[in-house]
């Protein structure tokens, strides 16, 4: 049965109806948009600390940013790690440590090998010794900081089964209980198939599709995702309105988080378009420009379905 049908059926059984669903305005308030868009620290506060490291999460926390975004991939020996590029060259010293291992793909290195790499010096000597974190380490630190996670499954075509594995790890770290699903977690990908897989495996989890589908195609996406998350250069007020006109996979207004805005004027402009979230390397700049309250911003669109399938 389609999730939306499930939602309607569950709602009917529990005595809910369309009349008690939140209005867009109420939904906006729940998402923090009455104070400005939700501010998400892209790869952590990556303008100030090396991207996708624990240090970048801590920096976001120091700046009062509740939401962090990351990128999840898999090592040769099957461990989930947090890194953006599909090779290790740009953000580690892999070429020095393993000079004969070109092209230095993440998937060609074991976790033990990746743990030897310095993931901070490329950014600044102040961060020498920072490591590529495992997803488990990353989740523990986000939890310790009481932050929220926009988790991106990166290049899933390279890692068959990564959706189920990611969900299993999230569950093991306590991230798939009702509270986390309702308030703390969104899973996104550039791959519609990957987002669909997450939605199928765990229909309760809030999801996002990275990209700018044609307006005519948005209803197809709304069937399996809660957010459309486009590059800000592709966003117009009309596009935001078209997204908001639909209800997403949990039968709440479809949301739009846009990326990557690092300056005040563009943040102000896109906030004026009514976007629900801004993903940024400079969360302090965006918050200042939009008067968003990152610390209080919540994710209001997560549905909660007791019949979720455990991964
Ligand atoms: O969350 C949006 C953004 O992360 C997508 O692009 O390349 O930085 O993963 P990328
Ligand atoms: Ca990303």
């Amino acid at each position: 049965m389609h999730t939306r049908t499930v939602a309607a059926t569950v709602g009917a059984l529990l005595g809910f109806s369309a009349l008690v669903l939140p209005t867009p305005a109420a939904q906006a308030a729940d998402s923090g948009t009455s104070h400005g868009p939700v501010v998400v620290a892209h790869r952590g506060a990556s303008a100030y600390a090396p991207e996708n490291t624990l240090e970048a999460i801590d920096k976001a926390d120091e700046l009062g940013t509740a939401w962090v975004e990351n990128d999840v991939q898999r090592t040769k020996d099957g461990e989930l790690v947090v890194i953006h590029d599909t090779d290790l060259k740009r953000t580690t010293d892999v070429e020095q440590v393993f000079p004969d291992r070109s092209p230095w793909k993440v998937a060609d290195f074991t976790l033990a090998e990746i743990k030897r790499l310095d993931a901070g010096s490329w950014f600044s000597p102040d961060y020498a010794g920072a490591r590529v974190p495992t997803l488990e380490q990353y989740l523990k630190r986000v939890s310790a900081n009481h932050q929220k996670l926009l988790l991106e499954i990166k290049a899933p075509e390279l890692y068959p089964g990564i959706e189920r594995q990611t969900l299993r790890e999230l569950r093991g770290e306590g991230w798939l209980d009702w509270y986390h699903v309702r308030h703390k977690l969104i899973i996104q990908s550039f791959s519609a198939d990957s987002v669909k897989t997450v939605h199928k495996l765990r229909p309760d989890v809030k999801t996002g599709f990275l990209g700018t589908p044609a307006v005519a195609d948005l209803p197809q996406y709304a069937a399996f995702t809660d957010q459309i998350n486009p590059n800000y250069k592709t966003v117009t007020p009309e596009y935001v309105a078209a997204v908001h006109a639909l209800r997403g996979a949990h039968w709440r207004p479809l949301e739009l988080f846009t990326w990557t805005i690092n300056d005040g004027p563009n943040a102000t402009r896109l906030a004026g378009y009514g976007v629900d979230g801004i993903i940024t390397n400079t969360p302090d700049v965006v918050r200042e420009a939009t008067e968003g309250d990152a610390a209080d911003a919540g994710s209001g669109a997560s549905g909660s379905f007791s019949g979720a399938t455990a991964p």
Side-chain angles (χ1 to χ4, degrees):
M1 190 185 300
H2 191 281
T3 302
R4 290 210 253 185
T5 311
V6 173
T9 304
V10 172
L13 288 170
L14 295 178
F16 300 142
S17 74
L19 293 175
V20 297
L21 285 167
T23 63
Q27 176 61 28
D30 196 23
S31 296
T33 49
S34 60
H35 305 288
V38 172
V39 178
V40 183
H42 180 237
R43 312 179 196 173
S46 57
Y48 311 117
E51 65 183 57
N52 278 324
T53 61
L54 301 185
E55 288 79 356
I57 309 174
D58 289 347
K59 190 67 194 176
D61 187 42
E62 279 174 42
L63 296 172
T65 311
W67 280 92
V68 294
E69 187 262 4
N70 72 0
D71 303 282
V72 175
Q73 299 187 60
R74 191 161 66 203
T75 66
K76 184 179 181 181
D77 53 342
E79 301 292 334
L80 296 181
V81 289
V82 177
I83 187 167
H84 177 271
D85 297 4
T86 55
D87 68 65
L88 296 151
K89 283 189 292 182
R90 182 177 61 86
T91 58
T92 77
D93 59 352
V94 70
E95 289 174 278
Q96 283 75 54
V97 179
F98 297 104
D100 303 326
R101 297 279 294 276
S102 173
W104 299 287
K105 297 287 181 194
V106 173
D108 292 339
F109 284 78
T110 65
L111 179 59
E113 290 170 337
I114 289 175
K115 278 185 170 177
R116 290 176 53 192
L117 304 176
D118 181 339
S121 291
W122 71 274
F123 184 84
S124 159
D126 294 344
Y127 287 100
R131 299 292 153 188
V132 174
T134 63
L135 178 60
E136 181 182 336
Q137 290 172 321
Y138 193 96
L139 292 172
K140 288 186 192 309
R141 185 64 66 91
V142 174
S143 291
N145 290 347
H146 306 288
Q147 289 168 303
K148 309 179 188 194
L149 178 59
L150 175 57
L151 184 156
E152 180 184 342
I153 299 178
K154 178 60 80 186
E157 65 280 3
L158 299 179
Y159 310 108
I162 193 171
E163 298 84 7
R164 184 180 292 274
Q165 184 178 2
T166 300
L167 289 167
R168 193 183 304 126
E169 204 147 305
L170 284 163
R171 188 178 59 165
E173 291 300 315
W175 275 74
L176 291 188
D177 63 10
W178 183 89
Y179 180 74
H180 283 78
V181 166
R182 179 69 177 80
H183 297 288
K184 296 264 194 179
L185 177 67
I186 305 168
I187 298 179
Q188 64 174 357
S189 181
F190 282 102
S191 163
D193 285 344
S194 190
V195 178
K196 281 181 195 169
T197 299
V198 170
H199 181 61
K200 187 175 175 190
L201 290 170
R202 282 293 302 222
D204 55 337
V205 169
K206 184 173 179 177
T207 58
F209 172 72
L210 282 161
T212 315
V215 168
D217 294 335
L218 286 173
Q220 296 170 38
Y221 287 81
F224 62 86
T225 195
D226 303 285
Q227 296 187 335
I228 300 294
N229 296 343
N231 184 315
Y232 82 93
K233 293 174 184 169
T234 68
V235 177
T236 63
E238 293 75 22
Y239 193 79
V240 176
V243 169
H244 285 166
L246 297 170
R247 291 192 174 232
H250 294 105
W251 205 239
R252 295 176 186 250
L254 196 59
E255 295 181 338
L256 186 151
F257 281 19
T258 191
W259 47 274
T260 305
I261 300 177
N262 300 321
D263 67 284
N266 274 315
T268 304
R269 182 169 61 86
L270 272 289
Y273 293 178
V275 302
D276 303 286
I278 293 179
I279 301 167
T280 173
N281 302 340
T282 55
D284 52 339
V285 171
V286 169
R287 184 167 51 177
E288 175 73 19
T290 61
E291 299 182 353
D293 186 348
D296 291 340
S299 165
S302 293
S304 178
F305 298 92
S306 58
T309 306

